[in-house]
Amino acid sequence: MINTGELLLEVEGLQKSFGERLVLSGIDLQVVKGEVTVILGPSGCGKSTLLRCLNGLEPVQGGRISYHGQDLAGPQVNWREVRQRIGMVFQNYELFSHMTVLDNILLGPLKVQKREPKEARQQAEQLLGRVGLLDRKDAYPRQLSGGQKQRIAIVRALCMNPEIMLFDEVTASLDPEMVREVLDVILGLAEQGMTMIIVTHEMGFAKSVGDRIVFMDQGSICEIAEPQQFFTQPATERAQHFLDIFQY
Amino acid sequence: MQNSGIEVLFEGSNFERLLGGLLVTIEISFVSIVIGTVLGIVMGLLRTLNVKPLQALLRLYLEAFRIIPILVWLYVVHFSFTPLLNIDISGETTSILVFSLWGAAEIGDIVRGALQSMPKHQEESGAALGLSRGQLYRYILIPQAIRRMVPGAINLATRMIKTTSLVVLIGVIEVVKIGQQIIELGVIKAPTASFWVYGFIFILYFAVCFPLSRISRRVERRWQN
């Protein structure tokens, strides 16, 4: 299962620092089409920063990110174009508060991709139906629960028809009883073969959704393994230590 | 009815004169609000830039209008500055000048507050969808900033309208002054004239300010987050 098929994204020696502090020190990672990569690691290990670099939200200081022959770590990247193909969902479910659910979802397809309104709307409604929120399409974000908002944020990213989806701790700010409904949506995407990179703290979810686990600590990747392997017999001591924290 | 005194309102051209006075009040307020808003938006944007000396200067400017009473500003400009600089401007122009500068200071603060309270995530979410800088401002940041600004701006507008009653003290003939003139002339014939005239002025101010505060409340409720 690991690393077979078409290579979509290749990260080589990626370096990122905030001022003097090096937060990513030489990341190497390859993402294959249809693969679900779950990134685990203690807080501050650089996993969220890595995702943000892949979407151009953080400038990088060194290395290469190769995507369809383009180097996303280089100068003059057309991020507007890349971001249409690499979707991202954040921890703070930031829907645009002055727009209805449907307008939130359609902003990108209509204004950025300049798609046909009727066709885009159909897709939006179909996606909303799939996450069970079609009846909320005219609601405003303030009228929705955290879990609903996050499912809609996922739909908003999906409606751009991205090739890769990045999930940055999307359940971390949710009430516990709402985590499940969001994770189920992501699980559904995995079943349909969506290529995803997921940063999460939900260990059970990581185990069931991931094709492989990438364990990071202190700005570098310590270990890449299949979930079964990682959760039962991690190769590194640091990973073992990390897993111990989650067991009571 | 014959001697109630209410007829003082309709004697001669009194009614028209009062409405004319109201027009002066509205004119000073309206022109000042427009000029103040334009200057205020520029000032608010400048205050979000991180330029230390400019910050201090604009802050001082705002505080000057918050601390010093508007009446004092009117006196200072009308009786000190204009003779000192040897320029001859009418009381009405002086009023518009002072009220515009006041409006600019307050609107500037409202704009700054609205822009600085905008969560960074909103911007990032938009960027992650591939929106350009211009689209981010047009579809997300400006509409949200305006929603945050409207209640404060309308509140300021009603405060300005009410405060124009001070301009009578630098010789501007507005609604309150005309009211006083009517009372002075009519009080011998109708001792209750002041009750009717001021009562009418009360209603006039109410008619102008009440719709504004209603709009503000409705807008606030509609956009509440």
Side-chain angles (χ1 to χ4, degrees):
Chain A
M1 192 63 206
I2 290 181
N3 286 352
T4 53
E6 185 196 340
L7 197 61
L8 277 189
L9 197 65
E10 192 171 15
V11 180
E12 268 179 321
L14 188 70
Q15 294 214 355
K16 161 80 197 168
S17 47
F18 291 114
E20 295 281 284
R21 202 165 59 88
L22 197 63
V23 279
L24 295 177
S25 50
I27 299 287
D28 297 307
L29 187 67
Q30 297 180 335
V31 177
V32 167
K33 192 175 172 71
E35 183 181 37
V36 179
T37 305
V38 176
I39 306 179
L40 299 178
S43 295
C45 70
K47 52 195 191 307
S48 287
T49 306
L50 174 58
L51 278 199
R52 292 168 62 83
C53 290
L54 298 182
N55 203 4
L57 292 172
E58 299 287 351
V60 298
Q61 276 74 47
R64 256 169 26 89
I65 306 171
S66 154
Y67 176 62
H68 289 288
Q70 194 183 5
D71 182 12
L72 302 186
Q76 285 164 1
V77 177
N78 183 355
W79 281 110
R80 290 196 61 195
E81 223 249 289
V82 173
R83 283 168 179 158
Q84 293 174 44
R85 304 169 74 177
I86 304 183
M88 182 151 182
V89 183
F90 300 86
Q91 173 179 346
N92 299 294
Y93 29 91
E94 283 292 342
L95 298 180
F96 307 126
S97 54
H98 61 297
M99 294 182 187
T100 63
V101 166
L102 205 55
D103 288 341
N104 260 280
I105 298 169
L106 290 177
L107 184 66
L110 297 185
K111 302 299 176 195
V112 178
Q113 297 180 322
K114 313 257 185 249
R115 277 158 61 186
E116 186 64 35
K118 210 176 141 202
E119 171 268 327
R121 201 187 158 94
Q122 261 172 7
Q123 189 193 359
E125 290 182 347
Q126 186 235 329
L127 286 168
L128 275 175
R130 238 167 61 190
V131 301
L133 289 170
L134 186 55
D135 57 330
R136 307 297 281 149
K137 67 179 176 179
D138 295 317
Y140 281 91
R142 61 175 177 273
Q143 300 163 319
L144 304 170
S145 73
Q148 289 175 328
K149 281 191 251 194
Q150 197 56 293
R151 280 185 278 160
I152 286 159
I154 295 172
V155 167
R156 184 172 67 182
L158 284 176
C159 207
M160 305 285 287
N161 296 315
E163 193 172 30
I164 304 176
M165 284 282 282
L166 311 175
F167 291 93
D168 185 14
E169 302 196 38
V170 290
T171 58
S173 324
L174 293 178
D175 291 335
E177 72 269 24
M178 291 172 182
V179 168
R180 184 76 203 211
E181 63 191 59
V182 173
L183 296 184
D184 280 344
V185 170
I186 302 174
L187 223 72
L189 289 176
E191 277 159 19
Q192 286 162 30
M194 174 63 83
T195 311
M196 299 190 278
I197 306 178
I198 302 169
V199 168
T200 185
H201 281 296
E202 301 285 336
M203 293 302 143
F205 172 65
K207 203 185 220 164
S208 57
V209 78
D211 290 320
R212 59 177 182 156
I213 305 288
V214 172
F215 175 72
M216 284 180 69
D217 194 16
Q218 292 172 3
S220 51
I221 293 176
C222 300
E223 184 170 344
I224 299 181
E226 284 189 46
Q228 195 58 32
Q229 170 81 23
F230 180 80
F231 283 102
T232 50
Q233 285 179 307
T236 58
E237 214 170 288
R238 281 195 275 184
Q240 182 61 58
H241 182 69
F242 172 75
L243 288 173
D244 286 345
I245 297 168
F246 285 90
Q247 299 200 339
Y248 294 101
Chain B
M1 191 67 201
Q2 193 57 36
N3 286 321
S4 73
I6 194 171
E7 60 276 6
V8 76
L9 291 178
F10 307 103
E11 232 161 60
S13 58
N14 283 357
F15 191 73
E16 288 81 6
R17 285 180 63 210
L18 279 170
L19 289 185
L22 183 70
L23 214 63
V24 174
T25 297
I26 290 175
E27 193 185 297
I28 293 173
S29 323
F30 183 77
V31 174
S32 306
I33 289 165
V34 171
I35 297 175
T37 303
V38 173
L39 290 178
I41 288 171
V42 176
M43 230 169 262
L45 289 172
L46 288 177
R47 284 191 67 194
T48 58
L49 304 177
N50 243 340
V51 188
K52 280 274 151 57
L54 189 66
Q55 289 318 351
L57 198 72
L58 292 174
R59 193 65 216 266
L60 190 72
Y61 171 72
L62 171 67
E63 293 303 330
F65 274 92
R66 292 223 168 130
I67 293 166
I68 302 167
I70 296 302
L71 180 59
V72 176
W73 275 108
L74 289 169
Y75 281 164
V76 165
V77 173
H78 192 67
F79 297 118
S80 311
F81 282 177
T82 48
L84 205 68
L85 300 174
N86 207 11
I87 42 173
D88 187 24
I89 55 172
S90 69
E92 205 176 317
T93 312
T94 304
S95 310
I96 288 175
L97 182 67
V98 170
F99 278 80
S100 296
L101 292 175
W102 173 33
E106 294 283 1
I107 293 278
D109 201 44
I110 292 169
V111 170
R112 177 201 57 82
L115 288 175
Q116 287 182 344
S117 68
M118 209 72 81
K120 190 169 172 262
H121 300 292
Q122 290 275 318
E123 206 176 319
E124 281 191 347
S125 294
L129 288 175
L131 292 174
S132 67
R133 201 80 217 139
Q135 287 175 325
L136 270 177
Y137 271 94
R138 179 160 163 215
Y139 297 113
I140 298 167
L141 298 179
I142 290 175
Q144 291 196 17
I146 287 174
R147 277 163 169 75
R148 283 159 200 239
M149 277 160 47
V150 164
I154 291 180
N155 181 298
L156 177 67
T158 56
R159 267 163 60 211
M160 283 173 79
I161 291 168
K162 288 185 288 185
T163 311
T164 52
S165 56
L166 293 177
V167 303
V168 59
L169 295 165
I170 57 166
V172 179
I173 314 291
E174 46 69 82
V175 67
V176 176
K177 183 67 191 173
I178 289 175
Q180 286 174 346
Q181 291 171 348
I182 292 173
I183 292 164
E184 278 165 26
L185 283 172
V187 77
I188 298 168
K189 265 199 322 200
T192 55
S194 67
F195 172 78
W196 295 108
V197 172
Y198 285 134
F200 185 58
I201 291 174
F202 175 93
I203 291 167
L204 287 180
Y205 273 111
F206 184 81
V208 175
C209 292
F210 183 67
L212 283 178
S213 71
R214 283 307 287 230
I215 291 170
S216 161
R217 261 186 42 202
R218 277 192 52 181
V219 163
E220 225 171 326
R221 205 170 306 156
R222 223 182 110 192
W223 289 341
Q224 209 164 45
N225 252 309

